[in-house]
Amino acid sequence: SEIPISEQVSHLREIARELDLGPSNKDLERMIRSHTKAAAPLRGGDPIPLDTLHEAQGLWGDLLISGALNLVSAPPKVGKTALMLHLAACVFRGDLECLGVPILDRFEHLIVVGTDMDRPQWFKLFFREGLAHKIDDKVILDNRITLWDSSSDVQLDDAGIALIREECQRHSNSLLLVDTLRSTTSSLGLDENRTEICAPVYALKMACASASVTTVVNHHTNKSVSGGSAITASAGSNALPGACDNTILMNWAKDCPDGQRRTDFRITISSSGRGKGGSLVAAITDDI
């Protein structure tokens, strides 16, 4: 079947409830796979479309990979959300670069699963980037944006992923921003330090595979982020970066001693994964 496994599991779960049965999602997935014909192998002499052999293409220099699942890890308040919205604003304006790094590919819509912040917080960023404006006593969000804020409580469960997939199919060629992994999995009962935290990431990846989207999942770093790499810095299970195509690390360029007010707002941004990898030093302030 062309229907993603996660969606088939969701349908079977509803049927199981009606029949008062209680198989686990793993049991349902195992049953589906046992009745699914495996894809044929590639054999010598078979013609291969050239577009299936393209290497990973950078979207924003070599920092963000187009059409891939990008994991962005950063300590709190470093500016990972602000950075992604600034990139979206640059793309929508038709800028050739963002923070001095070339924009190599473009998306036409921004889909935000932003359950980590409430609506006023999101619109503070939207107003700053010119992605929302006021008309009399109303606020109008840019028509190239879809937002689920904290009031929606969308989770990366079967129902939430189905909603996200539907929106991705409605808006082809989108940037999907999940902000954050922790807030969108808070009700799933998963242990972030175990490999089970990868399950909703894989499910999201499978569900959106047929849609033309570039996915960014914002996540927190572990306590030993200083001097770490983009792959080793993410909080929780070390299997999480392996579930993603590309990993980006954001961190303060200069440590600030405890109890002192930060005066240096420069951040370092580095990536590693399927692409060549890249790095950048920038300052995320009220005016970027």
Side-chain angles (χ1 to χ4, degrees):
S1 173
E2 296 183 357
I3 301 175
I5 294 292
S6 60
E7 194 168 319
Q8 295 182 56
V9 169
S10 180
H11 292 328
L12 282 182
R13 169 62 60 195
E14 293 301 317
I15 295 173
R17 286 198 186 102
E18 293 178 3
L19 297 176
D20 199 25
L21 300 175
S24 67
N25 283 358
K26 287 185 178 180
D27 290 337
L28 292 173
E29 182 174 341
R30 193 179 300 114
M31 181 178 67
I32 292 170
R33 291 188 183 280
S34 68
H35 290 83
T36 301
K37 185 178 180 180
L42 178 65
R43 296 185 174 88
D46 291 343
I48 306 170
L50 282 175
D51 60 6
T52 65
L53 301 180
H54 288 170
E55 296 183 0
Q57 177 184 354
L59 186 152
W60 180 36
D62 291 319
L63 290 168
L64 206 67
I65 304 302
S66 181
L69 198 158
N70 301 267
L71 179 70
V72 178
S73 298
K77 309 304 180 184
V78 167
K80 53 186 178 293
T81 305
L83 177 64
M84 289 301 111
L85 291 192
H86 182 59
L87 173 62
C90 290
V91 171
F92 289 163
R93 284 195 300 265
D95 295 351
L96 298 179
E97 60 180 36
C98 173
L99 299 178
V101 177
I103 296 172
L104 304 176
D105 197 10
R106 296 187 178 272
F107 46 86
E108 299 172 354
H109 200 85
L110 173 64
I111 301 171
V112 182
V113 187
T115 57
D116 200 47
M117 296 198 302
D118 60 23
R119 191 163 298 176
Q121 290 176 299
W122 277 110
F123 271 84
K124 180 180 179 180
L125 296 177
F126 288 142
F127 282 131
R128 185 174 74 183
E129 295 293 347
L131 298 174
H133 60 278
K134 299 176 183 178
I135 297 181
D136 299 325
D137 61 342
K138 303 291 184 183
V139 174
I140 307 298
L141 182 62
D142 192 297
N143 60 14
R144 293 166 292 185
I145 297 176
T146 298
L147 170 67
W148 282 288
D149 57 34
S150 60
S151 65
S152 68
D153 198 29
V154 171
Q155 297 284 288
L156 295 185
D157 54 12
D158 292 338
I161 288 177
L163 282 174
I164 296 168
R165 178 174 179 265
E166 181 181 351
E167 194 68 17
C168 289
Q169 291 179 328
R170 179 178 290 114
H171 298 286
S172 177
N173 191 24
S174 293
L175 177 69
L176 169 63
L177 174 61
V178 177
D179 189 71
T180 59
L181 178 61
R182 189 170 291 170
S183 68
T184 55
T185 58
S186 60
S187 69
L188 304 186
L190 302 176
D191 185 345
E192 190 176 274
N193 296 308
R194 300 172 65 89
T195 57
E196 62 188 25
I197 192 62
C198 299
V201 175
Y202 278 120
L204 179 67
K205 189 174 182 178
M206 291 175 60
C208 297
S210 60
S212 179
V213 298
T214 297
T215 303
V216 173
V217 176
N218 281 347
H219 190 41
H220 299 287
T221 53
N222 56 45
K223 294 180 180 179
S224 58
V225 63
S226 180
S229 70
I231 294 177
T232 61
S234 61
S237 171
N238 56 16
L240 182 58
C244 304
D245 302 301
N246 188 50
T247 57
I248 300 101
L249 171 62
M250 297 175 60
N251 200 12
W252 296 114
K254 185 177 180 180
D255 290 334
C256 181
D258 292 341
Q260 294 189 18
R261 184 178 180 181
R262 177 170 294 280
T263 57
D264 187 344
F265 293 94
R266 291 175 303 152
I267 58 171
T268 59
I269 307 169
S270 59
S271 70
S272 58
R274 285 191 339 189
K276 299 176 182 178
S279 61
L280 166 71
V281 178
I284 305 295
T285 61
D286 283 344
D287 58 356
I288 309 291

